Amino acid sequence: MDIISLVLIGVVVLVVIGIAAAAIGIYNRFFSLKNSAEATVGQVKVAMKKRLDMIEQLLGAVKSYATFEKETLTGVTAMRARVGSAGPGDLNEIERESRSVLGRLLAVAENYPDLKTSQTVKDLMGAVKGVEDEIARHRYTYNNIAQQYNTMTDTIPSNLIAGAMGFSKLEYLEFGEEIERVPTIAF
């Protein structure tokens, strides 16, 4: 073999190694984003469970002022159980349901001056506000991660790796337009 053949073989080997390294980097980036997304969804689930716990406590605090049917409490308990195994689409539905219950509780609090001045209710409402902010932060983080992941599934060359490995797009957490209006929980 002459020197030109050895140089060509060396160049081809380096190109193959470069392509393999790039493919491995892209593959690892997909899994890094996927793991970050899963961790963030886990944080959303924890925050949603906290919110549902607080809704249960609020139900207890307002039950002497308004009659909340037993099925409301049963529904909150069922939502809490569903959060653990929920994916982003399911979390969107649970979010809508829990916001509805929370909205009804806020309406009750507005209608009863004694309830509005109750320290327990004030404390719970403050805690709910904190959890609402936490959910919003985690949702924002998750959606940013999902956007990066989804962009990689759509753009060259990472879409080639995504297609070869069967990676599909991540679903966004879209809690609906009603979350743009944060409930008024200050007394």
Side-chain angles (χ1 to χ4, degrees):
M1 286 188 141
D2 62 357
I3 192 81
I4 295 177
S5 297
L6 288 175
V7 169
L8 285 176
I9 290 172
V11 168
V12 169
V13 167
L14 287 176
V15 168
V16 168
I17 290 172
I19 291 172
I24 290 169
I26 290 170
Y27 179 84
N28 288 340
R29 180 71 177 141
F30 270 116
F31 273 94
S32 174
L33 289 170
K34 180 179 173 283
N35 291 338
S36 294
E38 288 172 357
T40 305
V41 165
Q43 293 301 317
V44 170
K45 289 178 183 182
V46 168
M48 288 180 82
K49 283 182 180 180
K50 280 196 274 187
R51 178 205 288 149
L52 291 167
D53 288 345
M54 289 176 203
I55 289 173
E56 284 183 33
Q57 292 172 9
L58 279 167
L59 282 168
V62 302
K63 70 181 173 188
S64 62
Y65 290 88
T67 57
F68 276 90
E69 59 280 355
K70 185 178 180 179
E71 74 183 42
T72 300
L73 181 58
T74 304
V76 169
T77 304
M79 279 186 271
R80 192 177 190 291
R82 287 182 8 228
V83 166
S85 61
D90 301 322
L91 289 176
N92 292 335
E93 180 59 32
I94 293 168
E95 171 68 13
R96 279 188 289 282
E97 292 174 29
S98 65
R99 278 231 173 236
S100 172
V101 172
L102 185 57
R104 290 192 312 243
L105 282 169
L106 294 174
V108 167
E110 288 295 321
N111 290 329
Y112 293 93
D114 292 346
L115 189 58
K116 287 172 69 171
T117 60
S118 163
Q119 190 60 45
T120 301
V121 172
K122 282 183 180 180
D123 292 345
L124 285 170
M125 291 301 207
V128 168
K129 171 74 171 106
V131 171
E132 293 293 329
D133 293 343
E134 183 180 343
I135 290 170
R137 280 191 314 274
H138 291 309
R139 187 184 81 128
Y140 176 81
T141 300
Y142 172 84
N143 284 343
N144 281 336
I145 293 167
Q147 180 186 17
Q148 291 174 37
Y149 185 94
N150 293 344
T151 299
M152 286 182 66
T153 64
D154 288 338
T155 57
I156 295 173
S158 55
N159 66 342
L160 302 172
I161 304 294
M165 296 305 202
F167 297 151
S168 58
K169 288 187 172 188
L170 295 177
E171 190 172 349
Y172 289 102
L173 289 176
E174 298 174 356
F175 290 163
E177 294 303 317
E178 65 273 7
I179 71 153
E180 300 303 323
R181 294 182 331 267
V182 176
T184 304
I185 57 178
F187 294 137

